[in-house]
């Protein structure tokens, strides 16, 4: 992991947040290459799930929405993690992380119902010593810590002006359900997709960009007819499971590194009847990458109750009215990027006996598609021709013009940022109007006529 973090900083993928002020713990900024990759992922995801399905449409809702939304969605009361604190060093931890998910699931009921005294006694049996200072029997009883980040609207910090930064993009979709059904001519079954920022006041953010307080989600709420029997929603759920695996494969991730966790009943989110977590073998362990949940009619029903607005769907043929049920495939954008970085990072020996680091990104994902490298930077004819090629390609592909250092070093630099093609302009190019194109993965070089470059560099 350290090698990836160092490469990402050195080459301009990801920087520590607020660095010149000493940082802000676990916040990260995405540099020129990081933002290209995030944009590539977002656009590809939109193409994969929205453009490819005639019954999925998009939305971009606000980050700060009426706080009543979070009462209706259950986030105000239910969206919390169990927080414990060491009385000596005051480090805070998630009890479920310290005890282990399975063990915590078994103890959860006890902690929900026991007295303060009983909880205090039990927690020190379960967590004998503080992982930070090592002192024994210092943990406080767990308390539910709400993860929503608060803010105040307007100049007065009064409880009436309290609002929250959305902890998921999903609710912006539910509260617009009626707007979309009346304007988009979609009929059940259909889906609404959204890509955008979400915020959670995580107790223990960490593992680089894996768990942060500010992150991006790509979510779809897929509305279906209330099932008469389980097999009806199960079939649709299974279809989405396969689509999600298809997307993971498209990212170039080896499916052998994906583990599907059928989330146990006691660990399900408050809205879910069934959830599968798609876990990836990250360098720091097998952890959740994506989720797929059957949210039933929980959200629309609650929003109708809290807003007093009719959110039922009326079948255009039968006139039947109902709250649609929802299948929700959800994807973290930052985790996608992290999984791709981990998957594509390779250290290799070259045939010349050197070693190289290469980011073997799928071509569509690479932040720079082609590098244009003049053989000599002080030969006017060569640099002129190189710039002509750069200017001709840059409108259709993300290109980098690099004239500093030896060709070998420039190849290594492009390998490290995963550039699939490197074009070298040399003396022969001046004579024959052709260039050398080097393939990142095979390192093979081919002479290609300049006029054929656009066609040659096509990918998909
Ligand atoms: N609407 C459902 C929902 O939000 P979730 O499992 O809590 O479900 C969905 O989050 C996805 O968002 C996760 O699978 C993960 O990829 C990403 N995610 C959640 N919390 C995150 C965090 N603190 N930092 C980065 N990504 C996060």
């Amino acid at each position: 992991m350290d090698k990836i973090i160092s490469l990402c900083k050195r080459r301009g993928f990801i920087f520590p947040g607020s660095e010149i002020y000493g940082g802000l713990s676990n916040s990260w900024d995405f540099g020129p290459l990081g933002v290209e990759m995030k944009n590539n992922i977002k656009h590809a995801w939109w193409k994969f799930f929205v453009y490819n399905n005639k019954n999925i449409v998009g939305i971009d809702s606000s980050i700060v929405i009426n706080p009543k939304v979070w009462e209706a969605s259950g986030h105000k009361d239910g969206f919390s993690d169990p927080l414990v604190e060491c009385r000596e060093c005051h480090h805070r931890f998630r009890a479920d992380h310290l005890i282990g998910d399975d063990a915590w699931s078994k103890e959860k009921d006890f902690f929900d119902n026991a007295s303060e005294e009983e909880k205090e006694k039990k927690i020190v049996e379960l967590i004998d010593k503080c992982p930070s200072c090592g002192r024994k029997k210092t943990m406080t009883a767990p308390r539910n810590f709400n993860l929503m980040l608060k803010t105040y609207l307007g100049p007065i910090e009064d409880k009436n002006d309290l609002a929250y930064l959305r902890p998921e993009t999903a609710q912006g979709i539910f509260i617009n359900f009626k707007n979309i059904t009346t304007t988009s001519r979609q009929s059940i079954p259909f889906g609404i997709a959204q890509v955008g920022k979400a915020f959670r006041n995580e107790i223990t953010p960490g593992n680089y960009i894996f768990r942060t307080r500010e992150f991006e989600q790509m979510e779809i709420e897929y509305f279906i007819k209330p099932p008469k029997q389980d097999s009806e929603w199960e079939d649709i759920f299974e279809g989405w499971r396969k689509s999600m695996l298809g997307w993971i494969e498209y990212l170039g991730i080896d499916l052998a590194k994906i583990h599907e966790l059928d989330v146990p009943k006691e660990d399900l989110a408050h809205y879910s009847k069934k959830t599968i977590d798609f876990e990836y073998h990250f360098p720091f362990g097998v952890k959740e990458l994506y989720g797929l949940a059957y949210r039933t009619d929980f959200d629309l029903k609650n929003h109708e109750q809290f807003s007093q607005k009719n959110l039922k769907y009326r079948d255009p043929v039968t006139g039947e009215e109902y709250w649609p049920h929802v299948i929700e495939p959800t994807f973290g954008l930052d985790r996608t990027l992290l999984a791709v970085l981990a998957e594509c990072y390779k250290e290799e020996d070259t045939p010349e006996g050197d070693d190289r680091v290469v980011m073997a990104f799928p071509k569509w994902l690479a932040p720079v598609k082609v590098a244009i490298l003049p053989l000599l930077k002080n030969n006017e004819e060569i640099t002129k021709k190189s710039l002509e090629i750069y200017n001709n390609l840059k409108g259709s592909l993300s290109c980098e013009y690099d004239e500093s250092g030896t060709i070998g070093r420039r190849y290594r630099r492009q390998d490290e940022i995963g550039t699939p093609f490197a074009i070298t302009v040399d003396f022969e190019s001046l004579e024959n109007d052709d260039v050398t194109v080097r393939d990142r993965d095979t390192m093979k070089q081919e002479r290609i006529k300049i006029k054929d470059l656009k066609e040659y560099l096509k990918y998909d």
Side-chain angles (χ1 to χ4, degrees):
M1 207 50 219
D2 289 346
K3 287 183 183 169
I4 294 174
I5 295 174
S6 150
L7 185 153
C8 284
K9 172 145 201 266
R10 203 159 23 87
R11 293 294 183 212
F13 286 88
I14 303 170
F15 307 123
S18 314
E19 200 179 7
I20 62 165
Y21 286 98
L24 175 70
S25 69
N26 298 295
S27 73
W28 302 94
D29 294 336
F30 295 86
L33 301 185
V35 75
E36 283 297 328
M37 289 198 71
K38 279 175 79 172
N39 284 340
N40 290 345
I41 294 168
K42 284 191 258 191
H43 291 151
W45 184 88
W46 200 263
K47 215 165 128 190
F48 196 94
F49 290 107
V50 182
Y51 293 163
N52 275 341
N53 291 298
K54 74 177 188 331
N55 68 342
I56 299 198
V57 292
I59 190 167
D60 183 13
S61 68
S62 303
I63 285 174
V64 178
I65 47 187
N66 192 312
K68 277 200 193 132
V69 171
W70 307 114
E71 285 176 40
S73 69
H75 284 80
K76 197 151 176 262
D77 289 334
F79 191 57
S80 53
D81 280 336
L83 169 84
V84 289
E85 184 175 334
C86 170
R87 287 199 173 82
E88 292 296 329
C89 69
H90 299 291
H91 258 89
R92 289 172 178 165
F93 306 92
R94 271 177 65 171
D96 52 337
H97 284 180
L98 292 190
I99 296 167
D101 285 342
D102 290 347
W104 177 252
S105 300
K106 289 189 196 118
E107 303 295 347
K108 219 164 134 212
D109 255 4
F110 169 84
F111 282 109
D112 283 343
N113 299 309
S115 69
E116 254 339 274
E117 204 181 320
E118 287 169 326
K119 286 193 241 181
E120 303 247 344
K121 203 164 150 236
K122 182 84 176 180
I123 198 76
V124 293
E125 282 170 23
L126 293 167
I127 308 169
D128 179 40
K129 66 177 183 189
C130 168
S132 179
C133 70
R135 273 172 265 199
K136 290 199 157 195
K137 310 220 177 291
T138 56
M139 279 308 155
T140 59
R143 68 183 168 87
N144 287 331
F145 173 76
N146 193 290
L147 298 182
M148 285 198 293
L149 268 167
K150 296 187 182 85
T151 189
Y152 293 90
L153 300 181
I156 299 162
E157 289 193 10
D158 183 88
K159 73 172 176 2
N160 297 323
D161 301 310
L162 178 63
Y164 302 93
L165 306 189
R166 65 181 179 200
E168 61 171 9
T169 59
Q171 297 304 323
I173 295 178
F174 295 126
I175 61 174
N176 278 289
F177 173 74
K178 208 73 190 184
N179 284 333
I180 290 178
T181 46
T182 50
T183 56
S184 69
R185 311 183 65 81
Q186 289 290 344
S187 50
I188 298 284
F190 77 96
I192 305 175
Q194 169 150 238
V195 176
K197 290 259 180 182
F199 301 82
R200 295 181 188 178
N201 199 3
E202 298 282 0
I203 299 168
T204 47
N207 282 329
Y208 198 31
I209 56 170
F210 177 80
R211 183 174 284 108
T212 49
R213 294 191 171 109
E214 174 177 347
F215 55 97
E216 275 182 270
Q217 291 186 319
M218 307 181 287
E219 298 198 291
I220 297 165
E221 306 306 321
Y222 192 73
F223 299 93
I224 60 171
K225 210 173 164 180
K228 293 202 173 70
Q229 53 210 19
D230 281 347
S231 62
E232 287 174 28
W233 69 264
E234 282 167 353
D235 286 350
I236 301 168
F237 192 92
E238 176 59 13
W240 276 105
R241 190 184 73 79
K242 288 192 179 131
S243 294
M244 291 181 81
L245 289 173
W247 164 252
I248 294 170
E249 240 182 336
Y250 183 56
L251 288 167
I253 291 175
D254 180 1
L255 289 187
K257 289 200 200 144
I258 295 289
H259 171 249
E260 289 180 38
L261 173 79
D262 205 340
V263 176
K265 286 242 156 2
E266 56 279 16
D267 292 341
L268 288 173
H270 57 277
Y271 50 74
S272 172
K273 188 164 170 187
K274 178 181 171 79
T275 297
I276 290 179
D277 281 350
F278 293 84
E279 299 181 318
Y280 174 70
H281 284 249
F282 286 100
F284 41 83
V286 180
K287 304 259 181 225
E288 178 186 339
L289 173 64
Y290 299 146
L292 174 63
Y294 172 36
R295 294 182 79 123
T296 67
D297 56 2
F298 176 89
D299 300 276
L300 289 179
K301 213 173 182 173
N302 276 7
H303 284 306
E304 175 162 324
Q305 192 195 329
F306 278 73
S307 67
Q308 296 291 299
K309 298 284 179 322
N310 179 0
L311 294 183
K312 286 181 212 74
Y313 173 81
R314 190 181 159 80
D315 188 297
V317 179
T318 64
E320 190 190 349
E321 280 205 358
Y322 56 80
W323 290 294
H325 283 223
V326 170
I327 308 279
E328 179 196 60
T330 174
F331 309 71
L333 174 60
D334 311 69
R335 285 190 194 176
T336 306
L337 177 59
L338 183 57
V340 164
L341 289 168
E343 186 77 15
C344 296
Y345 180 90
K346 310 243 174 325
E347 292 176 1
E348 292 177 353
D349 294 326
T350 65
E352 296 83 47
D354 301 330
D355 46 16
R356 68 165 188 161
V357 168
V358 59
M359 279 292 188
F361 299 133
K363 292 190 176 72
W364 68 265
L365 234 167
V368 177
K369 304 291 188 265
V370 54
I372 293 102
L373 318 173
L375 184 68
L376 297 171
K377 78 167 172 188
N378 47 12
N379 181 302
E380 217 173 288
E381 279 182 281
I382 289 183
T383 51
K384 187 167 168 248
K385 189 143 225 104
S386 306
L387 280 168
E388 269 169 27
I389 295 172
Y390 171 77
N391 286 327
N392 185 29
L393 292 177
K394 74 174 192 222
S396 43
L397 289 167
S398 77
C399 300
E400 210 170 88
Y401 180 82
D402 184 2
E403 56 178 24
S404 64
T406 64
I407 280 288
R409 280 188 63 157
R410 281 182 268 167
Y411 283 156
R412 294 288 166 276
R413 202 151 55 213
Q414 295 302 330
D415 287 345
E416 265 201 332
I417 65 169
T419 308
F421 302 108
I423 293 175
T424 306
V425 184
D426 53 20
F427 289 103
E428 258 184 84
S429 313
L430 305 177
E431 301 279 309
N432 304 336
D433 262 334
D434 62 5
V435 289
T436 300
V437 182
R438 173 186 179 267
D439 181 285
R440 174 197 68 198
D441 300 326
T442 61
M443 291 183 273
K444 291 220 171 84
Q445 306 192 6
E446 248 188 281
R447 280 318 278 191
I448 303 293
K449 287 282 176 207
I450 294 172
K451 66 175 175 46
D452 298 333
L453 271 175
K454 269 196 183 151
E455 192 55 36
Y456 183 84
L457 298 172
K458 264 193 180 155
Y459 61 89
D460 236 349

